[in-house]
Structures are given as C-alpha cells and as structure tokens.
Amino acid sequence: MRWHRLENRIVALFIILILLVQLAGFFVIRKAIDENARASISDELVIGERVFSRVLEQNAEKLTQAARLLASDYGFRQAIGTDDRETIGSVLANHGARIGSTLAMLIGTDQSVKASTEANPSSDLQRSSLELVVKAGDSSSASNTVIVDGHLYQIVAVPVKAPVTIGWVVMGFPVDQKLVTDMRALSSLQVSVLVSAPDGSWQQDASTLPLPEAAMLPGKLPATLSHSTQMPQLSLGDNEYSARMLILTQGASRQTAIAVLQLSISDAVAPYRRLQLILLSISVVGVIVAIFASAFMARRITSPLRALAETAKRLGAGDYRTVIEVKVKGDDEISRLAEAFESMRTGIANRELEIRRLAYWDSLTDLPNRVQFAAMLKEAIGQARSSGGQCHILMMDLDRFQHVNDVLGHSFGDNLLRQVGRRLEQQLERPGAKVARLGGDEFAILLPDTDMAEAMRQAKRIHQSLEQPISIDDQTVDLGAGIGISSYPESGQSSDTLLSTAEVAMYVAKRRGSSIVVYDPAIDKSSQESLSLLTELRRALDRNEFLLYAQPKVDLASGRVVGAEALVRWIHPEKGFIGPDHFIPFAETTGFIRLLTTWMLGQAGILCAELQKKGYSLKFSVNLSTRDLLDQDLPARVADILARNQLSPSALCLEITESAIMDDPVRAQLTLERLHHMGLELAIDDFGTGYSSLAYLKRLPVDELKIDKSFVLNMEHDVDDAKIVKSTIDLGHNLGLRVVAEGLETLPAWQLLRQMGCDQGQGYYMSKPMPGDKFIAWLEQWTPPAGLEQSEFEVPRVPAT
C-alpha cells in the first residue's frame, strides 16, 4: 500500500477513527456500567437499611401487642394478685411459646423479678428489663434492642393494671436466623447480625451468607464503629460485595451489635456484561463494513481532487481565463468545491483590483493615502526637475480632533474627517492639486508647478476654511489646524525628504501656535540641539557636573541668617559654566526636571545635615516645577531624603510658582497637601507675577510668600512698586503667612522692607548665590548691618493699604 496516496490515507484514517471510537465507547460504557451499578447498589443498601429498621419496628409492635394481650388476661392478673408464682410462670411460658418469645418475665412493683421463663435470668437481661420498665412507666409500653449473653434480642415491657399497676410483663424475641432470612426475602440483600466480643472481635449471631463467607465476614470488618458506615467494596472469597453496617445497640459492657447489609457487585453488573459483548460484536461488524465503505468514498473523493489540483496549478501560474470544468455528478461537496474554484478564479482578479485600490486610497474619505500621495509627489518632483520649476506640499494636523473623538465618539470623528476632506478639496485653486489623508487626522495637499507665493496663498485659504465651524448631527465643532509647507528643491530633493520636512514644519506650527510655518533648515538644527542637550543633561547628572549653590535668607529685624535657597548650576566639561536659564526650561519641557529636583533635594539635605552638625539650624528652600507637582511619588522621595539625612521636615521649604499650580490645580493641590501633612513648609515663589493668585492662595496649604524681585528692585524710587510690596506684605500677614522679599540689593531697601514689616529678605546685598561648600565659610564671617533698630535712611512714603 502506497501511503503517500490520499486515497489510502483516507481508508486508514477511517479505520483508525472507527477503532478508536469503538474502543473509547467500549471503555466509557464499561466504566459507566460499573459506576451505575455501584450507585444502584448504594441506593439499594440505603433502602435495605430502612426496610431492616422497619422490620425490627414491626417485630417490636407485634411483640408489644402480644404482651398487652397477656397483661389484660383476667386469670393472669388474678394470679399476680394472689402471688401465685407457679401459675404466673406457667402462663408466661405458654403465652411466650405461642408468639415465639424465648424470654418472658414478670417484674413486680418493687422492680424485682417475680417470675421468669429463665431459671436464672442473666444480669444483662435483668438490667435491660428494669431499664425498660422505668422507661415504660405506669401507662405506656416500651421496646428496645439489647444484647443478652452475647445474642441480640428485642424486648418489650407492658404494665399490668388491676386497675392500678401491679407489675410489668417483659417479653423478648431473639434477632435470629428467621428474621434475617425474612429480610433477605424482602430485599434480596445478604443480612448478617454480629455482636462484639469482650476482646473486641466480632462474633456471628445470624447470617444469610453461605457458611464460608459468613465465617470470613467478622475478620473483614473494622474493630470499632461509632456510626453507620458504607463499605463500597468488601471481598469475601471470590465474591465482591458492597456493604452497609448499621449499629443496632450498644450494651452497658461496651458490647455492640451491628447488622451488615450486603449486595453482590458481580451479580449487579452481570446483566450489563452481556450488553457489552453485544456492543463489541456490533463494533467488529461495523469496522468491517467501514473498511469497504471508506475505500469507495476515498476513491470518489480523490479522483475529482486530482483534476482540481491540475486546475490549481494553472491558477497559480496566472491563468485565470480557462474555465474550470470538473465532471462531478450530484451536488455534494466535491461539486461545490469545483464551483468554488471557478468562483475563486473570477474573484481573484476582482480582489486584485480591490487590493490595489485599498493600497492607494483611504477607505474612510476616498482620498489618496500616504502611499499614493508619495507616488504623486515623486511624479510632480520629476516634472519639476525636467522643467526647472517648483512644487510644494502642505501638511496639516487638525487641532482638538482627539478631544472631539473622545467626547463625541469615533463615529462622529469619522464623519468629521470626511467633511474635512471634502472641504479641503473645495478650497483647491489649481486644477492639478491633490488632497490626501496620510493617517489619523493628518492631511496633505500636493501643489505641482507652483511657487512659494501661490503655496502660501493656498495655505491661508485652507487655514481660513478650517477656522469655520463644522456642523454634523446638530453638533458644531471648531477645529483649526497647524500647516507646514515644504518645497522642491529648497526643502529636499526626494519625496521622502519633502514629506519629512513638511511634517517637521507642521509640528513646529502646532507647538508655536502659529497657523502656517514654512520649513527652514534651522528648525532641524534646533531639534538636533535639543536632543543633544537632553543627552548631555542625563550625562551631566551621571558625571556629577551639576553643583549646588545657595543664596542666604536673613531675618530683616535681627539680621540673623535663617535659611537659604538651594539653586543649581551646570559646569560643562567643554562649554564651562552654563546658567540655569539655558537648561532649566528645557528640563521642564522634557521631564528631566524630575530627576534634577530629586538631585537638588538630596544635595540640600546633605548640606543641611552638615550645617546642623556644626550647630547651624537653617531651613533650605528648593524650587518645584509643574511636573514635580504632578508627580504623585514626590512625597515618598522627600520622606526618603529626610530619613537618609536624619532631618526633620522643618529643615526643608518647597517653593512653587503660581503658574505651576494652574497647569493642573487639582493634582497639584493633592500633592501639596500630602507634603504639608508630612510637616514640610511650602512657599509661593515670584508672588504677584502669576494669575488667579488670590483665588488659589486661600486654598493652598502654604506657609510663606516670596515677593518677586521685579517689585523690590525699584521700590526705593517707585511709589507704585512700594505700594504693591506693602500690600503684598499686609496680605501675607493677614493670611498668617511669612513674607520674604527677593531682590534685596541695598541697605535702604532693607530698611524700607523692615519698616513695611517684611519678615525675611534675600538678595545680592547679603550675597550672590555661592557654591554649597563655601556657604559655611560665608556664614561664619557674616555680620548684619549696624543700626537695625533705628533706620538712618529716608524711604518713600507708603500709603496705608
């Protein structure tokens, strides 16, 4: 047999599958039969337990009725009244023989045995009888199952009344072979009654099992039982049983009587085994039939497939003209496969056309996409190169489109893009101009054979049209766009270069807030310098090129140094000293400011700890940026720095600007409140130069106001500046804040600020910012100006505010 042929593999697969299914079914059925049989056995045992209990109850009721009959006999009561024990014993024996009772006795009102069919009743029998008499009382009867001399009995007690109680009749039936045989007849269960011996072993009392198995049963049972127990499997000789053990009674001497109900597993499963043999025979016949049927079907399948394979080769070679004709009778899958091949032949050509359309056209706006726009631009560049002319492209990115998309939904956004595309096409002036959607909310316009003046005129026209609101579904949207212009040959020689330069100009327009930006090589140079600066900043932090500078803050009343503002300076290995104005704004823009702030806090903490060791307790102020205020991890980093340097929170004051707060007031206030709760002091820096100052000042947890130096520098000569400073000081004090004046550069300014009630000052009069390692030396030689108590300087009059 050649296994590479599909026909042979189909036949083999059919046979293997059928065999696997039949074997799996056989084992599943076998397992199900076994589980069902065991479940059925378990149910029968539970029912058997109820039947056995009911048989015992009926036996007790029968015995009780017989005892009542005896107790109501007049002659018997007369014999009891005359204490004729011979007559009493005879009546007990005769009546017990009639009802099958082997034990009978009369208990007197003094609870002594007056008469008995037993010459010497055992202590177990007497104790059980007396307990039953107590339970029965004067007006009732009682029954119980007890162990007497190693055998199980059912005993009943009935009072004898004439008319008062003159004694009790106690009668007992043995739970013997007859009872278990009756139980066997009722339930088809094997029933055994066993009683535990003093040594803990089980002794057979009665059983329906064959003698060999009955002899083996006691050794298979657990030594002790506390409750009824199910034994799923019990092996006795060659037979497997499922058993249920019932506790019947427990004697005073800790003897226990149990009933074991058993059902043969083999007998329960036997009917199902015959069913399995029938199923196995059917499976064998099915396999034989399947072999012939699969061979026939395999040949019917593979013949047309070979023909279709030849057809597929032609299709693979690109022959879509030849009609597919495979002669297959009927309307089955093979014929439908042939029809599908024919449908595929005609569909492939159509799909190739559709693929080409999708590759070059935007499916949302039906405008050319980026690929086709690049091809059209390449063609326009070629024409311009041949004619010595120019061509331009306009690239634009819609403003606020993402916000519109998020608020009004993607469906609205799609409709908006379609409207924008149509509006752009309507604004084209030159016949050869083309609009394209490059992706997202980016559009481009190709202006072949145009000069810069015409390109600018077209760009302004486009921008003005986009400034007009767009109405869709009763919603009016204002968009706008930033437009970048690049030209051939000034901005680039290839289509990729022109697209890239137009995109750069577009992003510059958006960043600057300008409507139109023409590409200039200086833009790229600025971008490269920015990237280089970011790299150098990261390297500077790793190489410790930053230095901590400090500018002292003094108490204006006493001249005592109370703190310092921590500042950063950059010593570049090649460019030398770089002022903060050259790199701090860029660090804030890129997010590097977070790393720089963490470094500043760490260095300030180190210097503060060093000063404390020398006996100077100063508060260092560190500036926070907008990004720092939005950083939810900042409080944790500050706490780590304080703990690392063993500083209290009062050692640091964090300065913030009004503009930094306004970027995201909610998040900024959350961060400030967390810092305030840690015990850190907060200061408003450059107060008076921001906006919404009073609105947020009353809500922020600040401790200090720093008056911007632009008001302090000229206040000696400018009454308006002096008024602003005095008003700010009064405002701060009224709010319970400490006020610090920046830009203190002369002694008259000191005196004027002191007269106004300003708390602290900072400026060149005391010292310019100095390296941190020189701050201690300056601190040791600092001398406050003389005559602080009386001002020798005449200052401008400041009207009361």
Side-chain angles (χ1 to χ4, degrees), residues 242-260:
S242 185
R244 188 170 184 85
M245 294 175 290
L246 317 175
I247 298 177
L248 300 178
T249 187
Q250 289 182 320
S253 57
R254 296 187 179 179
Q255 280 187 294
T256 303
I258 63 171
V260 181

Side-chain angles (χ1 to χ4, degrees), residues 555-560 747 750-751 754 784-791:
D555 181 83
L556 294 177
S558 64
R560 181 173 57 88
L747 186 57
W750 180 319
Q751 297 290 353
R754 182 168 169 269
L788 288 182
E789 296 301 324
Q790 295 180 355
S791 174

Side-chain angles (χ1 to χ4, degrees), residues 307-478:
L308 290 175
E310 295 298 325
T311 302
K313 289 180 181 179
R314 294 197 303 271
L315 293 176
D319 180 9
Y320 304 121
R321 297 181 180 179
T322 304
V323 178
I324 298 174
E325 294 182 355
V326 178
K327 295 182 180 180
V328 180
K329 296 180 180 180
D331 188 28
D332 58 9
E333 287 79 1
I334 301 298
S335 63
R336 287 196 290 272
L337 179 62
E339 294 173 359
F341 264 74
E342 173 61 19
S343 176
M344 180 180 67
R345 180 190 68 81
T346 56
I348 285 177
N350 295 332
R351 281 193 291 274
E352 282 191 346
L353 293 175
E354 179 67 15
I355 289 170
R356 185 176 295 275
R357 190 187 72 81
L358 292 174
Y360 292 99
W361 293 87
D362 177 56
S363 59
L364 180 63
T365 60
D366 288 330
L367 295 174
N369 62 10
R370 181 181 287 272
V371 175
Q372 186 175 354
F373 186 81
M376 293 188 300
L377 177 58
K378 188 179 294 183
E379 182 180 351
I381 291 173
Q383 293 175 355
R385 187 180 290 117
S386 301
S387 62
Q390 293 179 307
C391 71
H392 293 76
I393 61 173
L394 313 180
M395 187 177 293
M396 63 210 69
D397 183 271
L398 302 180
D399 297 335
R400 301 178 292 279
F401 175 76
Q402 186 61 48
H403 178 70
V404 171
N405 214 26
D406 293 340
V407 173
L408 299 178
H410 293 283
S411 177
F412 185 91
D414 292 345
N415 290 332
L416 182 61
L417 291 175
R418 295 189 191 98
Q419 291 275 19
V420 169
R422 285 193 287 270
R423 181 172 289 189
L424 292 177
E425 287 182 316
Q426 293 169 359
Q427 302 304 316
L428 298 180
E429 297 176 332
R430 178 172 286 274
K434 298 290 184 182
V435 179
R437 180 183 176 225
L438 305 185
D441 58 348
E442 288 187 9
F443 292 84
I445 297 177
L446 173 62
L447 302 173
D449 193 23
T450 55
D451 56 17
M452 180 56 71
E454 186 175 355
M456 283 295 296
R457 186 168 59 254
Q458 180 69 81
K460 291 178 180 178
R461 182 181 176 90
I462 293 292
H463 186 267
Q464 289 174 359
S465 71
L466 292 177
E467 289 292 322
Q468 299 299 318
I470 298 177
S471 296
I472 302 175
D473 299 334
D474 299 328
Q475 295 285 346
T476 301
V477 178
D478 293 318

